[in-house]
């Protein structure tokens, strides 16, 4: 394909190999978490094909989003940095993207590789997309198969990256029933549908996050969506404009659970996205006895935001309702910590998707919790966690940012120090986590 070696993405490492936590009696704070990762990716990708400049405020400058930024720059998009979390994306205009000269390296990011593949398939771009070792082990046929049905010439390596797009074919709309509730699959198809002829319809077995639909609509695309299905009529051209990115609920989740376990006076987390397709964790934690209030709900462009007030609460184990699983999909590692600290047993089922995230999150959290003395029982699609007490010990993050941060929350209530090995990927989603956690009162020491 005339493709050279991969363009290397600078990964924002945390600068230390691990952390050691010590238990603390209380934490406090009025915090603000960085911008939403899902929405930041989408702003880059939609801005890349918009007819005018797209200004993005609240952008998450994390390793994952930097990888997507580098990839769209390699396609001929100019991106101006206007401030720490402000960007201007200036695309070459509709259908102006060029074939990249190197393999696009999406680092650790499933959202980056899957959504970009959909976008490029529709535009007839020739490209190869890959990522780090974790990403290269993740399933890609879930997007490649429907894109092929639309007419794309697309290959995977036995179902995994690299993903190769041969370019050329104009796509036609399909009506696709997704076998799993995946916002990445839905979004890849809708982004291909931007340039396909006709109305592309995606039907989902359960509700998944709807940021793509909201952003497409706010930029003028003919999109319809409800809980069951989303559609777009193409080809269509997006307007430029302005996108405000709320704080990432998935990052707030660590401080929500930390606050439930150890807040003294209470913990305020400001300007957090509360899109109903993202906040299943609130329903689950409330059912466990968690006291979390939503203050000052308001709208930031197409997305709802609010301040969250969290009070220390006694938690009890529950059977997690399976319909809440896709609405809390990224929050399970920290929910497992809440379950380990709660009284009684928490049971999760219908969560097989956790096995194909940045790590197999059922296995990596089961191992980490077992290493600090928590009794767990893994099933194919879930886990039983016997709550009560968390001991000291040494755990491994499995190279997974959310496992590392979840175990830092466990360290607040453990009966002694927890050593967390390999926290180098935390910057994937939450640069500055350790500093923010310390400012709230976590005892978190860097290992050299
Ligand atoms: C995401 C969708 C989810 C989520 C991921 C981000 C997105 O993945 O786990 O972290 O931005 O669309 P799936 O669509 O594979 O469930």
């Amino acid at each position: 394909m005339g493709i050279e070696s991969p363009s290397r993405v600078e990964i924002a490492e945390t600068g230390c190999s691990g952390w050691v936590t010590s238990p603390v009696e209380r934490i406090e704070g009025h915090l603000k978490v960085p911008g939403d990762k899902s929405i930041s990716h989408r702003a880059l990708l939609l801005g890349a094909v918009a007819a005018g400049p797209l200004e993005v405020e609240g952008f998450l400058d994390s390793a994952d989003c930097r990888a997507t930024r580098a990839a769209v720059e390699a396609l001929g998009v100019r991106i101006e940095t206007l401030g720490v979390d402000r960007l201007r994306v200036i695309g070459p205009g509709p259908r102006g993207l060029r074939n990249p000269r190197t393999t696009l390296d999406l680092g650790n990011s499933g959202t980056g590789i899957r959504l970009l593949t959909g976008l490029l398939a529709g535009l007839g771009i020739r490209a190869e997309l890959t990522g780090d070792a974790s990403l290269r082990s993740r399933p890609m046929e879930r997007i490649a198969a429907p894109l092929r049905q639309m007419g794309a010439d697309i290959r995977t390596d036995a179902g995994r990256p690299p993903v190769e797009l041969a370019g050329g074919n104009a796509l036609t709309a399909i009506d696709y029933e997704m076998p799993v509730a995946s916002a990445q699959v839905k979004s890849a198809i809708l982004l291909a549908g931007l340039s396909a002829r006709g109305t592309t319809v995606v039907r989902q077995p359960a509700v998944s996050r709807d940021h793509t639909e909201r952003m497409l609509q706010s930029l003028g695309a003919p999109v319809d969506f409800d809980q069951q299905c989303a559609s777009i009529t193409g080809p269509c051209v997006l307007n430029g404009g302005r996108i405000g990115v709320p704080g990432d609920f998935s990052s707030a989740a660590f401080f929500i659970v930390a606050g439930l376990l150890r807040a003294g006076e209470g913990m305020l987390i400001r300007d957090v996205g509360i899109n109903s397709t993202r906040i299943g964790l609130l329903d689950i934690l409330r059912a466990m006895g968690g006291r979390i209030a939503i203050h000052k709900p308001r709208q930031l462009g197409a997305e709802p935001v609010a301040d969250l007030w969290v009070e220390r609460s006694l938690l009890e184990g529950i059977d997690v309702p399976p319909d809440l699983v896709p609405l809390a999909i990224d929050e399970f590692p920290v929910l497992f910590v809440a379950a380990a600290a709660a009284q009684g047993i928490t049971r999760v089922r219908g969560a097989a998707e956790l096995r194909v995230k940045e790590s197999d999150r059922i296995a990596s959290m089961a191992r980490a919790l077992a290493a600090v003395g928590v009794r767990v029982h893994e099933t194919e699609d879930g886990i039983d966690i016997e709550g009560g007490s968390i001991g000291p010990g040494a755990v491994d993050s499995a190279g997974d940012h959310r496992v590392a941060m979840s175990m830092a929350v466990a360290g607040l209530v453990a009966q002694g120090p927890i050593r967390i090995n390999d926290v180098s990927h935390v910057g994937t989603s939450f640069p500055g986590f350790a500093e923010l956690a310390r400012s709230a009162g976590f005892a978190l020491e860097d290992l050299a």
Side-chain angles (χ1 to χ4, degrees):
M1 300 180 61
I3 296 250
E4 293 159 22
S5 61
S7 56
R8 289 262 51 102
V9 174
E10 200 190 314
I11 301 296
E13 302 279 335
T14 52
C16 68
S17 64
W19 293 322
V20 177
T21 67
S22 301
V24 299
E25 264 318 303
R26 55 192 276 158
I27 58 170
E28 301 301 341
H30 287 196
L31 311 174
K32 199 167 147 66
V33 294
D36 188 280
K37 180 153 74 74
S38 290
I39 297 174
S40 296
H41 278 295
R42 286 158 171 80
L44 289 170
L45 297 171
L46 299 195
V49 294
L54 184 70
E55 222 167 283
V56 189
E57 220 165 300
F59 179 78
L60 174 68
D61 187 20
S62 74
D64 266 15
C65 298
R66 283 186 188 186
T68 297
R69 174 181 177 159
V72 298
E73 284 173 331
L75 294 157
V77 176
R78 204 166 95 224
I79 296 178
E80 294 171 355
T81 302
L82 306 177
V84 273
D85 64 355
R86 286 181 56 225
L87 296 178
R88 188 180 293 122
V89 185
I90 307 164
R95 305 205 76 91
L97 295 187
R98 61 164 193 243
N99 293 335
R101 279 198 291 270
T102 59
T103 296
L104 302 173
D105 182 350
L106 281 307
N108 198 236
S109 178
T111 303
I113 197 168
R114 294 195 177 113
L115 271 58
L116 185 58
T117 299
L119 185 72
L120 298 185
L123 295 169
I125 297 285
R126 278 159 56 97
E128 187 177 73
L129 297 89
T130 191
D132 67 10
S134 152
L135 190 59
R136 288 199 309 277
S137 73
R138 297 180 64 187
M140 293 297 142
E141 276 302 315
R142 52 177 57 195
I143 56 156
L147 293 174
R148 258 181 229 121
Q149 280 181 31
M150 296 176 84
D153 189 346
I154 177 170
R155 247 155 282 166
T156 63
D157 181 2
R160 326 234 166 252
V163 175
E164 217 178 280
L165 285 167
N169 301 342
L171 303 190
T172 37
I174 55 168
D175 187 324
Y176 187 70
E177 197 144 330
M178 288 195 295
V180 287
S182 161
Q184 292 180 357
V185 174
K186 176 177 60 175
S187 300
I189 299 170
L190 291 175
L191 295 186
L194 255 180
S195 7
R197 191 157 330 133
T199 299
T200 296
V201 182
V202 189
R203 299 174 196 279
Q204 50 186 3
V207 182
S208 66
R209 66 189 67 188
D210 62 6
H211 305 302
T212 303
E213 297 90 306
R214 286 171 186 251
M215 199 183 291
L216 281 168
Q217 200 165 59
S218 75
L219 299 179
V223 169
D224 273 322
F225 61 103
D226 59 25
Q227 304 215 322
Q228 284 81 40
C229 129
S231 68
I232 184 166
T233 302
C236 66
V237 175
L238 301 179
N239 305 319
R242 193 180 284 264
I243 299 277
V245 182
D248 197 326
F249 182 82
S250 299
S251 296
F254 302 106
F255 291 97
I256 294 172
V257 173
L260 292 175
L261 299 179
R262 277 294 177 263
E265 301 297 318
M267 167 101 77
L268 185 74
I269 314 169
R270 284 181 292 130
D271 304 327
V272 183
I274 55 157
N275 181 316
S276 62
T277 62
R278 290 288 297 280
I279 57 170
L281 179 75
L282 290 188
D283 294 329
I284 298 170
L285 290 172
R286 283 172 173 157
M288 294 173 78
R291 286 177 295 162
I292 308 158
I294 294 182
H295 287 170
K296 296 195 205 146
R298 54 204 181 266
Q299 207 60 26
L300 181 62
E303 295 283 346
V305 298
D307 302 337
L308 302 177
W309 176 249
V310 184
E311 289 176 32
R312 189 154 169 160
S313 310
L314 281 177
L315 300 180
E316 279 182 31
I318 58 163
D319 288 1
V320 174
D323 56 313
L324 290 179
V325 168
L327 308 181
I329 194 69
D330 289 337
E331 287 65 73
F332 277 94
V334 78
L335 174 65
F336 293 170
V337 170
Q343 291 304 317
I345 297 181
T346 296
R347 293 184 193 84
V348 178
R349 294 293 182 274
E353 276 295 295
L354 293 178
R355 295 205 180 273
V356 291
K357 296 296 177 189
E358 286 84 328
S359 70
D360 172 342
R361 286 185 172 155
I362 296 176
S364 40
M365 282 303 298
R367 261 196 315 272
L369 289 173
V372 290
V374 179
R375 290 174 64 148
V376 295
H377 170 67
E378 260 188 69
T379 69
E380 218 168 282
D381 68 342
I383 194 167
D384 297 343
I385 297 173
E386 204 176 309
S389 114
I390 299 176
V395 304
D396 195 87
S397 75
D400 186 325
H401 52 131
R402 297 202 203 280
V403 173
M405 291 184 276
S406 298
M407 293 312 293
V409 175
L412 288 173
V413 291
Q415 276 149 10
I418 297 181
R419 179 193 170 108
I420 306 166
N421 292 317
D422 188 7
V423 299
S424 61
H425 279 82
V426 165
T428 288
S429 63
F430 200 154
F433 167 78
E435 293 74 14
L436 195 61
R438 285 181 198 118
S439 79
F442 282 59
L444 196 61
E445 235 177 86
D446 288 346
L447 290 169

